[in-house]
Amino acid sequence: MKKNKEHKKQHPQSKKQVAKNVKPERWKFIGALFIIILISFIAYAPALQNGFVWDDDDYVRNNLLIQSIDLKEIFSQSLMGNYHPLTILVYSFEYHFFGLKESGYHAINLIFHFLNIILVFYAVYLLCEKFPVALVASLLFGIHPIHVESVAWVSELKDLLYTFFFLSAYIYYLKYLKDRQKIFYFYSLLFLLLSLLSKAMAASFPLVLILTDYFKGNKINTKTLLEKIPFFALSLILGVVAVYAQKETGATDITVFPFPQRIVFACYGFIAYLLKLVLPLQLCAYYAYPIKTGSEVPPQYYFYVLLLLWIFAYFFY
């Protein structure tokens, strides 16, 4: 009886001790994120001085769609070969508040970038539960030069917006894997829809979920795949809509280069971006094809096909 009484007396103290330990951990996260966002702000602050360039004329300056918040018009039309009504809706709100004042649009881009840094940190921490890994990932995401185009160009709001909702959907899926609460599953589905309505690139989301299941050690069986069907359905529907929007501008015309050359270009592009992640040198806003139409691909470009196959084989092994 004495032992039980002693145990009861000690139990409340252990709870207090846990509470004390949690609070410093939370402040450590907040402090680290504040420093990362501060560094990112210093890196990207010059973007606030930028003006409108290239596609910004079509997206903002001359875009009649954003001059009135008309949901029917916004959700029934594509723009420049893209169906991203949520992005256009955000432009409408920006136009309402800023008119054609460039700094306002760049400030919104920066805010979304900072929010995405926080989401990257949280997503990586939920995925691997390692504070240093989440810290490094969010820092690299925040300041890597390869992100300059997405953050410093007004027309790339779609990138920032779809990433924001994509990461939100992913975080709720990770919460669902942990607690199996259906509400997290539906939140993940909802945020995926918002991401797809911001940019069709979010169609890759269901594949990310399968890879996450594999990473977490969950069996890839019928049950696991069946719960992904709503995600695949959303991605397929909005993906088809995006393809038809691209057809309007001829962006899907694949007759310019024969199929074997397109495979070589894809392998070259994949390897080039991997290299630029490690060594971000000679970055450019526009990367031209390495050859002209009707020309033969130089032999050295076939090396990238072999290199990519080796990378896939290595990671699979």
Side-chain angles (χ1 to χ4, degrees):
M1 288 293 290
K2 286 182 180 179
K3 287 182 179 179
N4 289 338
K5 285 179 180 178
E6 286 175 4
H7 179 71
K8 286 179 181 178
K9 286 179 182 178
Q10 291 173 359
H11 187 65
Q13 291 177 356
S14 63
K15 280 186 175 180
K16 288 178 182 177
Q17 191 64 38
V18 169
K20 285 180 181 179
N21 289 338
V22 169
K23 207 168 183 180
E25 189 78 6
R26 186 183 300 167
W27 281 110
K28 183 174 74 172
F29 287 2
I30 293 171
L33 276 172
F34 176 78
I35 293 171
I36 290 172
I37 290 172
L38 181 62
I39 294 170
S40 300
F41 175 76
I42 293 169
Y44 281 101
L48 293 170
Q49 308 295 324
N50 290 353
F52 291 137
V53 294
W54 298 337
D55 296 348
D56 295 344
D57 285 339
D58 293 306
Y59 271 103
V60 180
R61 201 193 300 272
N62 304 323
N63 188 4
L64 298 177
L65 272 177
I66 71 171
Q67 294 180 14
S68 61
I69 303 174
D70 188 332
L71 295 180
K72 184 181 178 182
E73 287 293 315
I74 290 172
F75 278 83
S76 62
Q77 295 186 42
S78 60
L79 180 67
M80 295 188 70
N82 293 297
Y83 181 73
H84 40 30
L86 199 56
T87 300
I88 303 304
L89 184 60
V90 174
Y91 279 130
S92 298
F93 286 115
E94 288 181 320
Y95 185 84
H96 176 76
F97 286 105
F98 307 126
L100 293 176
K101 191 177 180 181
E102 298 99 327
S103 58
Y105 294 86
H106 288 294
I108 296 299
N109 275 24
L110 281 178
I111 289 170
F112 271 111
H113 182 54
F114 299 151
L115 291 173
N116 287 340
I117 291 170
I118 296 171
L119 293 180
V120 166
F121 177 89
Y122 191 32
V124 174
Y125 185 74
L126 286 175
L127 182 66
C128 65
E129 298 181 352
K130 293 179 180 179
F131 176 77
V133 175
L135 194 66
V136 171
S138 57
L139 177 62
L140 286 174
F141 181 88
I143 65 171
H144 201 288
I146 212 165
H147 275 157
V148 169
E149 180 178 321
S150 293
V151 182
W153 186 14
V154 170
S155 293
E156 284 302 283
L157 171 68
K158 55 185 178 289
D159 260 20
L160 299 164
L161 205 58
Y162 111 83
T163 302
F164 175 79
F165 291 121
F166 190 102
L167 289 169
S168 299
Y170 188 57
I171 285 168
Y172 274 111
Y173 182 77
L174 290 171
K175 285 176 173 284
Y176 169 72
L177 284 183
K178 185 178 181 181
D179 300 331
R180 289 292 169 179
Q181 292 187 33
K182 289 185 178 179
I183 189 65
F184 292 150
Y185 180 90
F186 289 115
Y187 279 152
S188 181
L189 205 56
L190 173 62
F191 279 115
L192 172 60
L193 175 61
L194 296 176
S195 185
L196 286 163
L197 291 174
S198 303
K199 189 177 181 181
M201 188 69 73
S204 61
F205 187 79
L207 299 177
V208 174
L209 299 189
I210 293 173
L211 289 172
T212 301
D213 284 341
Y214 178 77
F215 179 81
K216 287 286 190 179
N218 300 329
K219 289 183 178 179
I220 310 299
N221 52 27
T222 305
K223 182 183 176 182
T224 307
L225 295 175
L226 282 175
E227 70 179 8
K228 307 294 186 299
I229 288 178
F231 296 97
F232 274 107
L234 274 181
S235 298
L236 180 62
I237 293 168
L238 271 300
V240 169
V241 172
V243 169
Y244 275 101
Q246 290 272 295
K247 279 186 176 180
E248 292 178 5
T249 58
T252 56
D253 184 6
I254 58 173
T255 60
V256 179
F257 294 102
F259 184 73
Q261 288 187 351
R262 296 199 300 274
I263 294 295
V264 174
F265 295 156
C267 294
Y268 167 71
F270 189 93
I271 299 298
Y273 273 107
L274 284 180
L275 291 173
K276 289 184 186 300
L277 282 172
V278 181
L279 292 171
L281 304 174
Q282 296 182 328
L283 296 177
C284 184
Y286 177 76
Y287 295 97
Y289 284 103
I291 63 170
K292 294 181 180 180
T293 308
S295 303
E296 288 295 323
V297 178
Q300 63 266 29
Y301 281 94
Y302 288 98
F303 169 75
Y304 292 100
V305 179
L306 298 175
L307 184 57
L308 186 59
L309 290 173
W310 179 84
I311 289 172
F312 282 161
Y314 175 78
F315 277 100
F316 180 78
Y317 176 77

